[in-house]
Amino acid sequence: QPADRCRLWHGGWDYLFDWLWPDAYGYTWQLHEPDHHVNSLMAVAMVRGYEVTGKKEYLDSAAMFVYNLIPKYGFHTGIWEGQRYYWTEYNPTGSGNPTMDATDNIQSLVAQAVAMVGYYRKDPALLEYARGLLWYIIREFETDGRWYYDGAENPLNQRKAISHDMAVLDPAMGAMPYLIKGGASNEELEEALLKPLRWYLDSWDSLKEERFFRAWKFPSNQGTAQNY
């Protein structure tokens, strides 16, 4: 029923699903069902709106999403290199749904929205969660050598799919200022995230020839961006 869905999806945005979509992990998205990764980009835009205008309703909208919708995607944790990491599922969790659907870019997209809301709401639990999501993608880079699509816990990880590198790096870097300002970052995290940044910059010429690699780069001494 529509009323039940409004309660279930409270805090999300209806942006895409005007058809039933069975995804690659085995979950079928319902009509108008919000996700939590593209919706994270919308939450980030809401926080940006708050930063520019000072209108609290924008921040409240992003917070409603973070507090109400993100928990529906499960919670997983572990320890790597002495620090705790977290990961969230691609699809809503629950009986009958895929639950080992870790996806690298999802962790970064969610981390940015969570870090921004956590900073402005002065919520240490959110800041810690965002830090741990980034530690997960650092582990992924160190163990896989680059960011592939599927996380290590995902049975599809061995396909080593290349498609969403920048959807990991860009929101991860976007989350960092809020973690630093919120006191949730540390030197090890910051240095570890600089390593993949340097690797992608150093590997740019070879990466841009890959069929699925997409990123923006501003050439030196020019004012226009090139899309690769």
Side-chain angles (χ1 to χ4, degrees):
Q1 297 297 323
D4 293 335
R5 291 184 177 182
C6 283
R7 286 189 289 269
L8 181 64
W9 299 339
H10 179 61
W13 289 274
D14 179 2
Y15 80 98
L16 177 62
F17 296 114
D18 54 358
W19 73 93
L20 295 176
W21 175 48
D23 68 26
Y25 295 145
Y27 180 79
T28 298
W29 294 85
Q30 301 302 304
L31 297 175
H32 310 295
E33 180 177 1
D35 63 20
H36 77 325
H37 46 285
V38 176
N39 268 208
S40 286
L41 293 171
M42 297 175 183
V44 167
M46 288 293 174
V47 179
R48 297 289 190 216
Y50 167 71
E51 291 174 333
V52 170
T53 68
K55 293 183 178 180
K56 188 173 178 292
E57 55 263 36
Y58 291 139
L59 178 60
D60 290 343
S61 180
M64 189 184 305
F65 161 74
V66 166
Y67 285 114
N68 294 323
L69 205 64
I70 287 178
K72 298 183 186 301
Y73 289 77
F75 177 82
H76 302 266
T77 186
I79 301 291
W80 180 76
E81 294 294 324
Q83 293 196 44
R84 183 164 295 280
Y85 64 80
Y86 310 107
W87 64 272
T88 177
E89 299 166 26
Y90 183 96
N91 299 295
T93 195
S95 178
N97 294 348
T99 57
M100 299 305 289
D101 47 353
T103 310
D104 285 358
N105 75 93
I106 302 303
Q107 317 312 318
S108 284
L109 290 165
V110 172
Q112 185 176 15
V114 170
M116 295 172 81
V117 171
Y119 171 72
Y120 283 112
R121 285 295 176 92
K122 303 184 187 306
D123 187 331
L126 287 185
L127 292 170
E128 164 59 14
Y129 184 48
R131 181 212 58 79
L133 290 170
L134 295 190
W135 196 243
Y136 178 92
I137 60 111
I138 289 168
R139 184 204 69 175
E140 290 289 279
F141 184 86
E142 291 291 339
T143 55
D144 280 348
R146 70 177 291 178
W147 282 311
Y148 296 106
Y149 188 74
D150 310 292
E153 293 77 8
N154 194 320
L156 295 179
N157 175 264
Q158 294 306 309
R159 66 181 175 169
K160 303 299 182 187
I162 297 170
S163 63
H164 283 65
D165 305 66
M166 292 302 104
V168 182
L169 182 58
D170 183 71
M173 298 303 292
M176 284 304 298
Y178 297 89
L179 294 180
I180 293 170
K181 291 190 296 183
S185 184
N186 58 61
E187 185 176 348
E188 189 175 1
L189 174 69
E190 293 162 22
E191 183 59 35
L193 196 54
L194 285 175
K195 182 177 178 179
L197 174 61
R198 295 184 183 111
W199 184 85
Y200 280 100
L201 289 173
D202 292 343
S203 307
W204 189 271
D205 288 339
S206 60
L207 288 170
K208 70 182 182 181
E209 302 302 324
E210 293 181 352
R211 179 181 176 188
F212 294 110
F213 184 75
R214 295 291 181 271
W216 290 91
K217 183 177 182 181
F218 288 87
S220 59
N221 302 320
Q222 295 184 36
T224 57
Q226 297 176 1
N227 179 241
Y228 295 110

